[in-house]
Amino acid sequence: MADPARAAKLAQRIKVVVAEALGRKVKDPRLEGVTVTDARVTNDLQHATVYYTVFGDETAHADAAKGLEKAKGVLRQEVGRNITVRLTPTLEFVADQIPVVASNLEELLREAKKRDAEVAALAATAKHAGEADPYKSDAPEDVDIDEDDFDEEDIDLAGDDDIDEDANKDADSTK
């Protein structure tokens, strides 16, 4: 099992070699619009997955996939000549979905921006459902109430005015 850093370096090298070989060695017109975007190599360095994009419609994508499958042997031979590993990895070509996902994401962001603008326009003309100050206060408006105004001694024991604490202490001591 190889070092992951070595596998990453090998993947980058394979990406460059395949891209150059598609431009120089392979003379298939179906592969003219192919761009190699990424490559991944397994940790045992035996299998490489090469990701590509194609400029064009669905038929161009299908033609490029067929052309890459046909040119797989030539590309693997070129990779074997240009990398320094004991065994040349097998190549698998996968259409990269990142551009499609990115365009979908951009469309969603445009839609979200449009909706945010609509909400901002509605918020600019909106009024509160209730009064301007929904919090009612029993204090007159000209009196400022401060937290320091209330002490523990000011708490009124409603209905317990006749409790005599000294009488309870005397009753407990006689028992």
Side-chain angles (χ1 to χ4, degrees):
M1 191 147 155
D3 179 25
R6 182 174 181 217
K9 287 179 186 177
L10 183 64
Q12 287 294 15
R13 183 67 187 144
I14 288 173
K15 179 176 106 172
V16 169
V17 169
V18 168
E20 288 175 353
L22 282 174
R24 286 187 284 116
K25 296 274 184 183
V26 180
K27 302 297 180 194
D28 193 343
R30 299 177 290 187
L31 301 178
E32 288 179 5
V34 173
T35 303
V36 177
T37 57
D38 195 16
R40 306 265 169 92
V41 178
T42 57
N43 283 340
D44 62 356
L45 308 179
Q46 296 298 309
H47 182 74
T49 304
V50 179
Y51 296 92
Y52 67 95
T53 60
V54 180
F55 184 72
D57 57 355
E58 292 299 320
T59 57
H61 288 274
D63 289 344
K66 290 176 186 173
L68 285 170
E69 283 301 314
K70 186 174 179 185
K72 188 184 285 190
V74 174
L75 294 172
R76 185 171 183 225
Q77 182 181 14
E78 193 66 24
V79 167
R81 284 186 193 149
N82 289 297
I83 62 171
T84 56
V85 292
R86 190 169 58 103
L87 299 172
T88 302
T90 60
L91 298 179
E92 177 186 5
F93 294 97
V94 177
D96 197 355
Q97 296 300 318
I98 289 178
V100 174
V101 172
S103 66
N104 290 341
L105 186 59
E106 286 178 6
E107 180 61 33
L108 289 172
L109 288 173
R110 272 193 294 277
E111 182 67 27
K113 188 175 182 180
K114 178 181 158 188
R115 288 184 182 177
D116 284 347
E118 290 172 2
V119 169
L122 288 173
T125 60
K127 294 182 182 179
H128 292 288
E131 299 176 9
D133 184 17
Y135 300 104
K136 302 288 184 182
S137 176
D138 294 336
E141 292 182 22
D142 59 343
V143 175
D144 290 333
I145 297 177
D146 216 5
E147 289 181 18
D148 297 332
D149 292 342
F150 295 103
D151 295 331
E152 291 179 16
E153 297 133 6
D154 294 340
I155 298 175
D156 182 26
L157 300 174
D160 293 338
D161 291 336
D162 57 330
I163 296 177
D164 187 12
E165 293 179 11
D166 295 331
N168 288 338
K169 287 182 188 174
D170 292 335
D172 289 338
S173 64
T174 59
K175 290 184 182 177

